[in-house]
Amino acid sequence: MKPGGGGKPSGDLLELIQRDFGSYEGFIKQFTLAASTQFGSGWAWLAYKANRLDVGNAINPRPSEEDKKLVIVKSPNSVNPLVWDYSPLLTIDVWEHAYYIDYENRKADYILTFMEKFVSWEMVSLRLEMAKAREVEREREIKLKRREEGDNISDNVDGESMSDNEDEVVGMYLDSESEESEIE
């Protein structure tokens, strides 16, 4: 947040918003809907998701650039996107204490004012760049670990790592006891 914020994002952030939500207006509509429909205490988030597997606690073993996208999630109480291994970029507090003194029960007005006048798109863009850098580092560490474990990793023509055996079964971890899931 910043005084005189709002407006429209630019650069890579705007391109991803347009790709993943159809348009900036589509993003605003979906973000507002998530914030306004969070019942009770909670949050609405714009987050960077490094893979598109829609299974809680699952890691895509071979993520591509297409797998990396922006998502809108809402969460109750103190839950945040880190529990789904997403990088939080923007959030709005929709607990009643956040808006009731100024807006009483006009939650929609609070959300609209937040989006139009207070969002610091420069900070959201910075968080996006940090999330992308963390993911590049994570992928590099995974490649190094696989090489150390002797997984016969080789680079293909495009520079992407892939196994020598394309038919091998790739295992994924899934915590089936978790009650948490993303809400899009």
Side-chain angles (χ1 to χ4, degrees), residues 27 34 51 66 78 92 105 114-115 142 151 156 174 179:
F27 157 72
N51 66 66
E66 294 174 356
S78 60
I92 183 170
N105 62 349
F114 174 81
M115 296 304 292
I142 289 170
D151 275 352
N156 69 10
L174 173 61
E179 294 295 323

Side-chain angles (χ1 to χ4, degrees), residues 125-165:
S125 291
L126 177 63
R127 288 186 189 121
L128 175 62
E129 294 310 312
M130 291 172 25
K132 287 179 166 186
R134 273 193 306 271
E135 187 57 30
V136 167
E137 181 61 23
R138 179 187 290 181
E139 289 172 1
R140 187 184 70 74
E141 289 174 3
I142 289 170
K143 287 176 187 178
L144 287 173
K145 184 177 179 181
R146 286 181 181 162
R147 283 192 181 116
E148 289 172 2
E149 293 173 354
D151 275 352
N152 295 330
I153 301 289
S154 64
D155 288 337
N156 69 10
V157 177
D158 296 329
E160 296 178 19
S161 290
M162 52 192 327
S163 172
D164 289 338
N165 183 359

